[in-house]
Structures are given as C-alpha cells and as structure tokens.
Amino acid sequence: MLSDITLLYPIILPIFFAILVLGVGTLFERIMNGKLQLAREIVAVIGLAVTSLHVFLIYWQLRYLQILSDWFAMAFGVFIPATLYYEYMPAGYWLTFAYQVFVNGQNWLLYRAVMPPAGSVFAVDFLSILMAAAFTGLGLIVCIYSIRYMEHDTGKTKYYALLLILVAAMNGVAFAGDLFTLFVFFEIMGISAYTLVGFRKEQWEPVEAGFKYLVMGAVGSSMVLYAISLIYGLTGTLNFAYLGTLIGTMIVHIGAFLSQMNPWALFLAFLVLYGSQVFYIIIALLIIGFGVKAAIVPVHTWLPDAHPAAPSGISAMLSGVVIKTGVYSMARALFVVFPITGVWPWLVRLDTPPYNLPQMFPTGFPGYSYPFNWNYALVLFGVITLIVSNVMALLQQDIKRLLAYSSILNIGFIMLGLSVGTAAGVSAAFFHLINHAIAKGLLFLGAGVYLHFTGSRMISDLSGIGRKTPITSMSFAIGTLALMGIPPLNGFWSKALIVLSAIWYAPFVPEGCVWVTVATITVLASAFSAAFYLRLVYVIWFSPESDRVKAISKKESLVMALPIAVLALACVVFGIYPSPIYSMANRAAEALLHYANYFTGII
C-alpha cells in the first residue's frame, strides 16, 4: 500500500482546467470581439493531455509496485499489494476516532470499519487505471475533434468545461474505494452527461432527450442509493475492503454456527440466512441501478434518444465510456462487496476434503457461489440485451440511433463475459470494453462528420458519401468491421475470448450446458449484427450518391478526420498486436478477482 495524494491528479486536474476554461472563455469573449476564443479550446486540450499523462504515470507506478511485490514475495515472503491508496477524513472524524480508541479503548481496526462514511477513500489498482485510461484518452480525442465540429455552436465555454468535469467524475468513480465516494462522483458524472445531451437547448429534441435521460438516471441513482443505505444499515460501513471482508466472513461461518447445534447458534444462523435474503434485494437494486447507466435492456431506452440529440463528440463519450462507467460500478460492487466463496450447496465446504474443488476450477467463480448466484442474473440480462438490441438496430433509419443500439448490443457481450466470472471471462469482458470504446468512438465521430456535411442523420441521405470523405469513410468502414469481429481487427479477439471463456468454463460445472448456450448465443448475436454493420458500409461506399451528397462542395476537414483516423489505426494495430491492451485487461481482471490484494491495499 502506498498512500499518495498525487494519485488524485486525474480527478483534480480536469476540474482545475474546467475552471480555467470558464475563465479564459469568459475573458476572451470581451476582448477583441471573441477573436481569441480558440484559447479556450487549447486550454481544454492541454488539460486532458496533462490528465492522460498523469494516468500513464500512475499506471507505471503500479507496474513498478507489482514487480517489487513479486520480488519481495519470492525473496522474503513479504506481500506488498499493488494498490495505490489515499484517504481523506475531516478533522472531526479523526477527533472522534482518537477519543474512541484512546479513551474508550475501542479496537482501532473495528472502529474504522464501523465509522460512518465521514470521509472519502480512493484506491487505485489496475482495473481503476484501465478505466481512467479509457476515459481520458477518448476525452482527449473528442476534445480535439470538437474544435471544428462545434465551431458554429454557441456556449462552447460551457461545453468544454462540462466535458472536463465529465472526465474528472468518471475518473473519480474508477478511483473510489468506498460506495459513498463512488456514488458522489457517479452523480457528478450524471449531471454533466444530462447537461451535455441537452446542450443544444434551442432545439426541442435535445431538451426532451436530456430530460428523459435525467429522469431515468435519477431513478437508477435512487435505487443505488437505497442499496447503499441497506448495506450501511446491515454492516455499519461503506468501505469496499471492510464490506467484502465482513460479508465474506459472515457467509463462511454459517456452517460453523450450525455445527454447534445449540439454540443460540441456530438463532445466529437464522439471522445470517435472513440477511442473505436482504442481500439479494441489494444485489437486484445494484444491478438495475447501475444498469440504467450501462444501458442494459430493459432500462436502455434513454440511450437511443440521447445519441441523436447530443453533439456527436458527446455521443462518442456516452457510448465509448459513460455507459462503461455503469458496467465498472456494477462489477466493482458485485465482485468486491459480495466476494465469491467456496461454499456449496448450503453448508458443504468445497475447500475441505474430500472435495478440494477450488483447485480444480479456473480463477474466479469456484463453480458454485453461495448464496449470491448473481452471475446468472448477468447472464439473463446479457442475453436479453443481445436479442433486443440486434433486432432494434436492424430496423433503424437514423445512423446515430442504429449506433446507439449497437452500443447496447456490445454491453450485452461485456455482461456475458463478466457473468462467466473466471479470469478468462473477466479479462475478455474488459478487453472488449476497451476495444468497443475505440471502435464506437470512431463510428460516432464519423457519423458527426457525415452530419456536418449533409445536415442529415438518415442513412439514405448518406448514400455514396464515402467518395466525398475518403479518410473518414475508410476509417468508418474499419470501425464497423472491428465491431463485427472480423480478423485481424481488435474486436475479433475480444469477442472470440468471450466465447472461449464460456466454453472453457463449461466442463467445470454441472450446469455446463448453460455456458455452452451462452457461447452459442454470443456467436449468433455477433453474426446477426453483421446485417446492419454491412448495410452501413454498403450505403456509404457502394450506393449511388444521394442529392445531399451531390450538393457537398467543401473538402474534408483534417481537424475532424485526424482523430477518427487515429482510432481506426488503433483498431488495426491492436488487432494485429493485441498484447498491450489484453495484458492491461488481464491485470484489471486479476485486480478485480484477487480480493486479498485490493482489501489489503485499503485496510
């Protein structure tokens, strides 16, 4: 554990530069009739570039710490968790803490666990830094793209400030070490996203879409807040490490309670079993609440409305990273707060003779998870999401609505990868999360170029536009093929690994047919999606030019085309050489599954 406030720079810096953007933008509106307004865009780009640099530096700090940890473990048997940690507590908390420990003789570790959420805990592991890299990287590309795309809009000072705050809030969610801090940043992210969706407030469509997003997001947040209140009422803490330790210990000792066979032990066991039913309610609230932000079916309806209404850069952020924040929050809460144990069925311990089954299973779920089989809920939502989004995408005539349903489809793939729960499945899920962020950011930015040239989102109006915008359209074609899963592009490897992880897991559990079915549905859903992806490529490149395309006289803007080309190049490079992204995803999966590392890093 290393405690250092510098790990908060990816949160602090975007907020600082957002304030600077507001100051610069307001100042230059009144000097030289706004001719120096480009300074605002430059400040925003610098802010996200500096933030990306600090995320990169923190990643390498973690890598060095992991190398040292491995060396000390082998040489001296000393374990150093590869987790960076920072805790902020108000003075009142520490005075109360000192009084209880030194005056009343309270156990300091237990007292820290049960204290109210008076402060914030930040814990950064490889999963946190993977998400932060995606947030800041795509945010930087969108900021550069917006310089030209937003040139005719008003209120751009607020746009860039909100974009920076959005990135800061998402980094805060990724770095949060307790549910209270996570929820606070989750709400800041939501408010920024609602505002950016309705940015063009002079039109009715953005206002309606932003309001719908606000209402659905508020309902989801309320469910998460209610779940948090139940957790706090049951355990007395919201700290991830303490929660996972307390709940895990509670479940493991059920068998010990009943084995004593006395009335008091039976009463305690009854309370624990009763508490486990409450935990099911908490799990359901967390899945649905975070699922609203992740846009899983059936709580997805805000996304197809938000994408057409929002500026294309914000559409890229929504599909590329904002909905992934919901996935991250769900995964972190479920995997860490409700750790997987080796108990099944009911009171049978699988980690004692004659079973010894955990050694036979892949890392992750030990085949049976007592009593929280929430992975099957993820399977159910994942399959429904795949089916509904595929059908709806095929029916769309608006390119941004089609791409929105495509994003929902890929959330289904990620959910199925997480549901497998093994190291291979979780690694594949995070691998696909990054690959989808790259490709879908590319597609929405490309759709923004088409809208900028033709003034229309209708697919029929984009017929033949590929010959007028060759850089954007070639990149767009690469992005669609990547999401189809065509080798050697990056989307192929992550989709293939999701399928293989389910197949690899099937022989280790009696319900192996479930995971074979999951693999089959994943393959069929990916194949079905080729229908609407190939339709886009055909219309853009091979159809006769529409009237709107024929009317295009201006040339393709390099300021908008260059970020799109960079993302297309990433699809190709990480398809031919996937190791850098996959290794980061694998470390993220290990950080999520190896609870001791994360818990020790906080405690």
Side-chain angles (χ1 to χ4, degrees):
M1 176 182 72
L2 293 181
S3 178
D4 190 355
I5 193 174
T6 59
L7 69 88
L8 299 187
Y9 284 173
I11 303 171
I12 297 171
L13 284 172
I15 296 175
F16 169 78
F17 276 96
I19 296 171
L20 198 58
V21 163
L22 288 173
V24 169
T26 305
L27 176 65
F28 285 122
E29 280 178 359
R30 302 177 182 181
I31 296 177
M32 298 180 65
N33 297 320
K35 293 180 180 179
L36 297 177
Q37 283 290 291
L38 189 60
R40 168 192 52 208
E41 283 84 345
I42 294 173
V43 170
V45 170
I46 292 173
L48 287 169
V50 173
T51 304
S52 300
L53 175 62
H54 276 278
V55 170
F56 179 78
L57 293 176
I58 293 173
Y59 170 76
W60 280 106
Q61 288 179 34
L62 282 172
R63 289 286 289 125
Y64 295 145
L65 184 58
Q66 183 188 45
I67 293 169
L68 286 174
S69 178
D70 294 341
W71 186 81
F72 271 93
M74 290 187 295
F76 305 106
V78 177
F79 173 68
I80 303 174
T83 303
L84 299 174
Y85 163 81
Y86 180 75
E87 183 175 22
Y88 168 74
M89 292 292 175
Y93 174 95
W94 288 115
L95 290 174
T96 307
F97 177 84
Y99 177 81
Q100 292 292 345
V101 172
F102 296 110
V103 178
N104 293 342
Q106 175 77 307
N107 180 281
W108 74 271
L109 186 61
L110 177 63
Y111 192 71
R112 276 194 63 189
V114 299
M115 277 295 289
S120 294
V121 180
F122 296 91
V124 180
D125 58 8
F126 282 108
L127 174 55
S128 304
I129 211 66
L130 175 73
M131 301 303 299
F135 301 154
T136 54
L138 187 59
L140 176 60
I141 289 174
V142 167
C143 191
I144 296 171
Y145 171 89
S146 298
I147 294 174
R148 181 65 186 274
Y149 181 80
M150 300 292 293
E151 62 182 350
H152 299 301
D153 283 85
T154 58
K156 288 181 285 185
T157 299
K158 300 181 184 68
Y159 172 86
Y160 288 105
L162 285 168
L163 179 60
L164 285 160
I165 292 172
L166 179 67
V167 172
M170 289 190 292
N171 287 342
V173 170
F175 286 10
D178 65 277
L179 279 167
F180 178 76
T181 303
L182 187 148
F183 181 78
V184 169
F185 281 108
F186 202 75
E187 285 302 286
I188 296 172
M189 178 196 75
I191 293 169
S192 302
Y194 308 148
T195 309
L196 286 168
V197 167
F199 180 74
R200 290 167 173 160
K201 57 185 183 298
E202 66 278 359
Q203 303 172 20
W204 173 248
E205 185 184 22
V207 174
E208 181 185 17
F211 183 72
K212 183 175 183 179
Y213 186 14
L214 168 64
V215 171
M216 293 192 67
V219 172
S221 297
S222 300
M223 297 177 75
V224 172
L225 184 61
Y226 185 44
I228 291 173
S229 68
L230 289 174
I231 291 172
Y232 182 68
L234 287 169
T235 63
T237 184
L238 294 176
N239 186 296
F240 280 136
Y242 290 112
L243 282 174
T245 304
L246 290 171
I247 295 174
T249 303
M250 181 189 300
I251 299 306
V252 168
H253 284 85
I254 291 178
F257 287 146
L258 285 186
S259 65
Q260 298 175 31
M261 296 305 292
N262 61 64
W264 177 241
L266 289 173
F267 176 69
L268 287 176
F270 171 77
L271 288 179
V272 174
L273 290 171
Y274 172 76
S276 70
Q277 305 311 310
V278 177
F279 289 145
Y280 276 122
I281 298 174
I282 294 171
I283 289 169
L285 289 170
L286 290 175
I287 291 176
I288 299 298
F290 288 129
V292 172
K293 277 290 190 295
I296 62 173
V297 175
V299 288
H300 67 288
T301 52
W302 63 269
L303 191 66
D305 290 338
H307 276 315
S312 291
I314 303 307
S315 296
M317 291 295 290
L318 285 176
S319 271
V321 290
V322 172
I323 59 176
K324 310 298 174 44
T325 311
V327 173
Y328 165 82
S329 302
M330 187 190 306
R332 181 69 88 182
L334 293 178
F335 276 94
V336 175
V337 178
F338 303 99
I340 307 307
T341 67
V343 183
W344 177 89
W346 291 89
L347 304 176
V348 177
R349 293 291 301 272
L350 295 183
D351 55 351
T352 57
Y355 301 100
N356 293 323
L357 289 181
Q359 288 75 28
M360 300 171 57
F361 288 98
T363 302
F365 285 108
Y368 303 93
S369 54
Y370 172 83
F372 312 117
N373 295 303
W374 46 259
N375 57 320
Y376 292 105
L378 299 190
V379 170
L380 179 63
F381 282 114
V383 170
I384 294 173
T385 299
L386 290 182
I387 295 171
V388 172
S389 56
N390 252 327
V391 173
M392 293 303 296
L394 198 61
L395 302 176
Q396 300 307 310
Q397 300 301 319
D398 183 323
I399 187 171
K400 293 183 78 172
R401 287 185 69 87
L402 186 152
L403 294 178
Y405 279 110
S406 167
S407 296
I408 298 169
L409 172 71
N410 283 276
I411 289 295
F413 289 132
I414 295 169
M415 294 280 283
L416 291 180
L418 290 174
S419 72
V420 177
T422 63
V426 178
S427 298
F430 291 137
F431 189 26
H432 192 65
L433 184 150
I434 299 300
N435 286 337
H436 176 257
I438 295 170
K440 187 50 62 68
L442 184 163
L443 294 185
F444 270 111
L445 296 183
V449 171
Y450 299 150
L451 176 60
H452 189 76
F453 273 89
T454 65
S456 174
R457 302 193 306 259
M458 294 298 104
I459 295 174
S460 57
D461 290 333
L462 306 181
S463 178
I465 197 172
R467 293 180 285 277
K468 293 291 183 73
T469 56
I471 299 175
T472 298
S473 298
M474 182 59 69
S475 302
F476 193 92
I478 291 172
T480 55
L481 295 176
L483 290 181
M484 281 173 56
I486 301 298
L489 300 175
N490 59 345
F492 167 77
W493 300 110
S494 51
K495 282 189 174 183
L497 285 172
I498 291 173
V499 173
L500 290 174
S501 66
I503 295 174
W504 290 336
Y505 183 50
F508 292 95
V509 287
E511 67 274 18
C513 59
V514 172
W515 302 106
V516 173
T517 304
V518 166
T520 304
I521 291 173
T522 303
V523 172
L524 292 176
S526 183
F528 189 86
S529 67
F532 58 82
Y533 285 132
L534 290 176
R535 173 193 174 199
L536 285 178
V537 175
Y538 178 80
V539 169
I540 288 170
W541 276 106
F542 302 107
S543 295
E545 292 184 357
S546 66
D547 293 337
R548 286 180 180 266
V549 172
K550 290 178 180 177
I552 295 174
S553 57
K554 52 187 176 182
K555 293 184 178 181
E556 192 173 14
S557 169
L558 288 179
V559 177
M560 287 195 290
L562 186 59
I564 299 172
V566 169
L567 291 174
L569 181 63
C571 289
V572 176
V573 171
F574 293 132
I576 297 172
Y577 184 59
S579 179
I581 300 297
Y582 179 73
S583 62
M584 291 180 66
N586 188 249
R587 292 189 188 99
E590 290 177 352
L592 184 63
L593 292 172
H594 295 173
Y595 313 116
N597 195 19
Y598 188 70
F599 291 175
T600 310
I602 294 179
I603 294 175

